Amino acid sequence: MIQRRFAPLALSLLAALAASAHADEVSVAVAANFTAPMQKIAAEFEKDSGHKAVLSFGATGKFYAQINNGAPFGILLAADDTTPAKLAQEGKGVAASRFTYAIGQLVLWSKQAGYVDDKGAVLKMGDYRHIAIANPKLAPYGLAAMETLKNLGLTDQVTPKIVQGENIGQTYQFAASGNAQLGFVALSQVMEDGKLREGSAWMVPSAMHEPIRQDAIVLSSAKDNAAATALIQYLQGDKARAIIRSYGYGF
């Protein structure tokens, strides 16, 4: 009787040990705009798979330079689709693994409630001193912001007021701290569970800029890494996509 009672426990312990023996780890370079959703996804991924994703956040352009200089990343979650494509062409990424994990949404945001109207007229009429925009040479959200200003015919008017963030994370900090009254940021930075956390925002129409297609790719150094393969699959699953959607991304 005692032997039978403990047999299931022994089997579950053996299964857990076997799973941990096969668990792997992957280093993931994550575009700054995707920080909050990826932190949640990584935690769920580890619980569900046993594998661990070690996350680094920053500008896609900087990650590309670091990868070229031998940085030991296994996966890149870019803020664009061109960088992963370039890595695949250069033999630094596994072409078959590349896919669009999210389509980003640009917003004009202020920490102050009621400051930003629903048509973005504040850009032309507002008395703001500074507007935060990510470096358009490094950050696709910054490029989308500049394209938006051009399409609105406001480039010359707004440019003298721009404070430039190295990436979209720093850009958000400029606006969140009040050092800039406005900021072009990613919706994911100011939205959670389908709601704006604070302040006021204008959702920039997608026609104002090129689509912000965010692609993922497994880097060549991790082509045989079980955690890398598992994470790429996990990002395409229902649980990860529900988290991604809750931060305002599309597919």
Side-chain angles (χ1 to χ4, degrees), residues 20 91 109 140 190 205 218:
S20 65
W109 179 76
V190 298
V218 174

Side-chain angles (χ1 to χ4, degrees), residues 29-38 56-60 63 77-79 101 134 139-141 166-172 186 188-189 214 249:
V30 184
N33 73 86
F34 203 64
T35 297
M38 193 56 201
S56 299
F57 304 101
T60 295
F63 281 137
L77 299 183
Y101 66 90
Y141 280 82
E166 183 178 276
N167 56 50
I168 200 69
Q170 188 180 64
T171 304
Y172 168 76
S188 59
Q189 295 172 297
Q214 302 193 196
Y249 291 96

Side-chain angles (χ1 to χ4, degrees), residues 78-171:
D80 61 13
D81 57 356
T82 56
T83 302
K86 194 187 299 185
L87 288 167
Q89 289 167 0
E90 294 169 349
K92 299 182 182 77
V94 180
S97 70
R98 183 165 68 93
F99 78 102
T100 300
Y101 66 90
I103 296 176
Q105 170 67 54
L106 181 71
V107 295
L108 179 68
W109 179 76
S110 172
K111 189 177 182 180
Q112 183 179 332
Y115 190 74
V116 179
D117 60 285
D118 62 3
K119 290 184 170 41
V122 66
L123 281 169
K124 186 175 183 179
M125 309 299 294
D127 60 353
Y128 59 96
R129 296 185 309 280
H130 299 298
I131 179 170
I133 292 178
N135 184 343
K137 293 180 180 177
L138 294 175
Y141 280 82
L143 180 60
M146 295 308 295
E147 289 173 348
T148 298
L149 292 176
K150 183 179 178 181
N151 280 322
L152 290 170
L154 295 175
T155 303
D156 291 342
Q157 180 178 329
V158 173
T159 295
K161 300 182 179 186
I162 290 174
V163 289
Q164 199 171 93
E166 183 178 276
N167 56 50
I168 200 69
Q170 188 180 64
T171 304

Side-chain angles (χ1 to χ4, degrees), residues 7-8 22 46 55 59 86 90 130 133 175 191 203 217 219 234 250:
H22 292 293
E46 187 169 354
L55 309 178
K86 194 187 299 185
E90 294 169 349
H130 299 298
I133 292 178
M191 178 181 183
M203 305 265 286
I217 192 167
L219 300 172
Y234 195 83

Side-chain angles (χ1 to χ4, degrees), residues 40-52 234 239:
K40 282 191 176 182
I41 291 168
E44 293 300 314
F45 172 67
E46 187 169 354
K47 281 195 294 186
D48 291 343
S49 71
H51 296 304
K52 185 175 180 62
Y234 195 83
K239 184 180 281 190

